Amino acid sequence: QVQLVESGGGLVKPGGSLRLSCAASGFSFSDTYMSWIRQAPGKGLEWVSLISSSGSYTNYADSVKGRFTVSRDNAKTSVYLQIHNLRAEDTAVYYCARDPHISGLVTNWFDPWGQGTLVTVSS
Amino acid sequence: EIVLTQSPATLSLSPGERATLSCRASQSISSDLAWYQQKPGQAPRLLFYDASNRATGIPARFSGSGSGTDFTLTISSLEPEDFAVYYCQQRSNWPLTFGGGTKVEI
């Protein structure tokens, strides 16, 4: 079945960097758009970034543009989120999610989601 | 940026009752809306896409409706497992945005 497993979260000092990973299985990863979505503790959901199936197209929320970089390795069926210059407001659970490509089309919906990895930014 | 406003913030109901959740967009988004359910300690799960299309495995007691700026998620008769937080999401414009959520509690 479809599985997404995030890793790489942890406690980081302000200004630090981190690389999150999402290992995918159970579907044709190289044909699938992927996204990162985050959720601050006790708060709602915020879309962060999207990457196309080939990796040639990416998009970011304004709040992370210039500090976050999304990439993928189709041979390893993994997607990554490189985060630089971390701020306290980046503290959140980071989820990766698959575009379900309903009827073979890019939908910009999210299904399923991984269980998330917690990033805490604190001195 | 399209702002999605969900109401009410909290809905206090009992099992067997009907739940009606609202999501209002700051501008028309046609039917480009999805609903997600999130239980404590779990990732969100897709319930509906394109406003009214039920995702795989979602029970028939859930229904989605609306277009333009006003959307509704209805749970016809609440089961104990339905008590959760529900989010709407639009894909009409970048950036993709979510509503603030409605908590359905007992």
Side-chain angles (χ1 to χ4, degrees), chain A:
Chain A
Q1 75 277 22
V2 175
Q3 192 168 13
L4 300 170
V5 179
E6 300 93 337
S7 61
L11 175 62
V12 186
K13 289 183 168 54
S17 297
L18 209 55
R19 188 198 198 205
L20 307 182
S21 300
C22 171
S25 61
F27 63 98
S28 181
F29 181 78
S30 61
D31 293 328
T32 304
Y33 279 44
M34 300 291 295
S35 280
W36 289 94
I37 300 128
R38 68 183 179 182
Q39 186 171 36
K43 302 297 184 182
L45 301 166
E46 180 187 18
W47 170 79
V48 170
S49 180
L50 172 146
I51 186 167
S52 66
S53 52
S54 68
S56 61
Y57 171 75
T58 58
N59 204 340
Y60 299 91
D62 285 346
S63 59
V64 307
K65 212 170 283 186
R67 298 188 301 121
F68 288 24
T69 303
V70 63
S71 62
R72 65 191 294 158
D73 185 334
N74 285 344
K76 294 183 177 179
T77 65
S78 292
V79 61
Y80 309 99
L81 190 66
Q82 179 71 52
I83 309 174
H84 294 293
N85 191 20
L86 276 156
R87 306 166 179 168
E89 54 266 34
D90 296 320
T91 294
V93 174
Y94 285 74
Y95 297 100
C96 70
R98 181 190 74 159
D99 189 308
H101 288 279
I102 297 163
S103 300
L105 300 174
V106 175
T107 66
N108 292 329
W109 306 133
F110 309 116
D111 182 45
W113 302 48
Q115 280 305 300
T117 187
L118 176 63
V119 173
T120 303
V121 184
S122 175
S123 55

